[in-house]
Amino acid sequence: MAKAKNKSTPAYDRVRAARGGKRPTGLDYVKGVFSDFFELHGDRAFSDDAAVAGGIAWLYDKPVTVIALEKGHSTKERSKRNFGSPHPEGYRKALRLMKQAEKFHRPVVCFVDTAGAYPGVGAEERGQGAAIAENLLALSGLRTPVLSIFIGEGGSGGALALSVADEVWMLENAVYSVISPEGCASILWKDASKAPEAAAFLRLQAQDALEMGVCDRILPEKGLGSRAFYRDLSRLIYDKLTELSALDAEALVGARYARFRQFGTGA
Amino acid sequence: MAFVAKNKPNDVPRQVKKPAAATETERVCPRCKSKLDVGKLWENRNVCSCGYHFKLKARDRVALTVDVDSFEPLWEDITSVDVLEFPGYENKLELSRYVAGEADAVVCGRAKISGRPCILFAMDPFFMMGSMGAAVGEKITRAFELATEEGLPVVGFTVSGGARMQEGLISLMQMAKTSAAVQRHSAAGLLYLTVLTNPTTGGVTASFAMLGDVIFAEPGATVGFAGARVIEQTVGKKLPQGFQTAEFLLAHGFADAIVPRDEQRWAIGNMLKLHAVSA
Ligand SMILES: [Zn+2]
């Protein structure tokens, strides 16, 4: 029995795949899908969080506000980007860019890949909880289309803060979870090595999220990172943004409210 | 898919003993270590003479806050369902219903405070540490929707360990759902006042708890996003004294005021009056 507990599960295999260091990261998607990305820095209050990269880019003939959680590739870059775990100033930068997008009637596309919001002293001092909460509130009422694409890890509130969206898409191997399987196993069984079992119970795979209505589309990973892969994704995003942009703001925001309102409405 | 169900009457928990706490006559203050008579402690609103604020059941919170006979509870039969068949959850739910005497971790209703009508919610620390699953999210959301419809302020007492992991992604979605309902209430120009009590953490801090127009905190309450132990493990350092307390929140600009329990009724009533006059 002692050995069996460390055996992986299909769910945990996905978690490993989602965390895998060789996957394209947020900025790879930005560069692959869009053209002429111009990065805009800073939250205008405290600093510039490198775990969150944002700016404006072209998608064919549309200017789009793009926000990506970025983990980085090299050891040096990963450390600079805090392994993709934002501080409050990262969420506030994202919020600033979302509000800017609303003002100029640009759609917003977010690429989500994070183990979660950073649990640190400075993060708490600067109001990590408040920063995430303000993003949830603002996104729910944002009068411009929002599309969120999970490309790897979707770690709890830290991922949700960029995905109160009109649609949420997930890569085939992306995961989305209320708690890390390790954290869950520690709480449940006081044993983080039972994470594979916890992963199975958490229903954190893209297919699970699709069945629950949390995710709207699963993106196959065939040719992941190739030119053809990004081209297909560009077209999918373009069509979706065109469709969402045709709605008036009232209808758009109303549908977004209904999308999240359905979770737990009762028998 | 139904994520919340009506609470079945006569839901008798299996293998549950009557909790010792229900019969105790004496409690020890964790701060000053004095032995306190339970009756006398209650007369002082469960606050020790040293200022330590003991936890309160949701119903006791309500009783200490609202005008006499003004509370009309709402949606009392909404309770969470173990949709994921998560290990041990069903039994935990049953135990909590018994120990807390509530269908889930929040009590909502109409109330008057200092004569002013409002929609009130109070979370219950004795129901799975006030964690938020579909039922809590649903009741909080309904509270804001009703208040928006009727043009009423919302007053809320938070105490929570965060999102209820036993409900997986559905519990995470409650953060978005409740925040969206707060957004509509706020856009309608209505007042939302929160009182953060010990402890308010995780997904509740990162959603409706921190969205009040006015945020009060109870003295000494632990309020934060990440758990202290997780932070300590991550940064590999001892945390500073008073980290993530109400006082820490005030010092860093995330609470409007620290309001001791015996002043809350007055302070909330005062805020409701200040916002009842249109310019
Ligand atoms: Zn004491």
Side-chain angles (χ1 to χ4, degrees), chain A residues 29 41 52 79 107 115 122 128 152 204 210 215 217 224 251 261:
Chain A
Y29 280 84
H41 292 275
V52 182
S79 158
Q128 188 74 285
L204 43 66
L210 188 78
C215 161
R217 178 194 280 272
L224 182 70
R261 185 65 185 84

Side-chain angles (χ1 to χ4, degrees), chain B residues 29-34 36 48-52:
Chain B
C29 173
R31 187 194 285 169
C32 72
K33 312 291 174 210
S34 334
L36 305 161
C48 177
S49 53
C50 77
Y52 181 81

Side-chain angles (χ1 to χ4, degrees), chain A residues 92 117-122 124-134 136-138 140-142 154-158 160 164 176-179 183-185 187-189 198 201-205 208-209 211-212 214 253-255 257-267, chain B residues 1-6 83-87 92 134-135 138 141-142 145 163-177 179-184 186 202 205-208 210-211 223-227 230-232 234-235 238-240 243-244 248-249 252 254:
Chain A
R92 292 186 181 121
Y118 187 66
V121 175
E124 294 292 321
E125 286 172 342
R126 299 193 291 280
Q128 188 74 285
I132 293 171
E134 279 152 23
L136 303 183
L137 182 138
S140 75
L142 203 76
S156 196
L160 183 65
V164 183
Y176 195 2
S177 184
V178 67
I179 187 171
C184 178
I187 295 170
L188 266 191
W189 302 299
F201 283 115
L202 284 166
R203 308 255 331 256
L204 43 66
Q205 300 180 68
D208 299 319
E211 282 163 20
M212 286 184 249
V214 170
V253 169
Y257 189 85
R259 187 184 184 281
F260 288 90
R261 185 65 185 84
Q262 65 167 325
F263 299 116
T265 44
Chain B
M1 209 191 289
F3 300 109
V4 294
K6 308 267 166 162
V83 275
L84 299 186
E85 297 181 8
F86 205 88
K92 252 196 186 121
E138 180 66 22
T141 302
R142 287 190 190 188
E145 288 176 339
R164 194 177 290 170
M165 68 174 189
Q166 289 87 345
E167 292 181 35
L169 277 177
I170 297 305
S171 70
L172 187 68
M173 292 304 117
Q174 304 309 312
M175 291 171 63
K177 185 170 108 178
S179 300
V182 176
Q183 194 274 336
R184 290 191 160 190
S186 181
T205 300
S207 61
F208 62 87
M210 295 306 293
L211 292 175
V223 182
F225 174 64
V230 173
I231 297 172
E232 224 163 45
T234 306
V235 302
K238 269 250 160 254
L239 298 175
F243 184 64
Q244 292 186 319
F248 170 94
L249 233 64
H252 289 95
F254 291 97

Side-chain angles (χ1 to χ4, degrees), chain A residues 8-20 23 152-153 171-176 199 204-208 218 221:
Chain A
S8 197
T9 57
Y12 199 63
D13 290 342
R14 296 271 193 204
V15 174
R16 285 206 181 116
R19 289 172 179 167
R23 290 173 75 79
E153 274 187 286
L171 271 286
E172 197 180 333
N173 280 312
V175 294
Y176 195 2
L204 43 66
Q205 300 180 68
Q207 187 60 38
D208 299 319
I218 296 177
E221 295 193 5

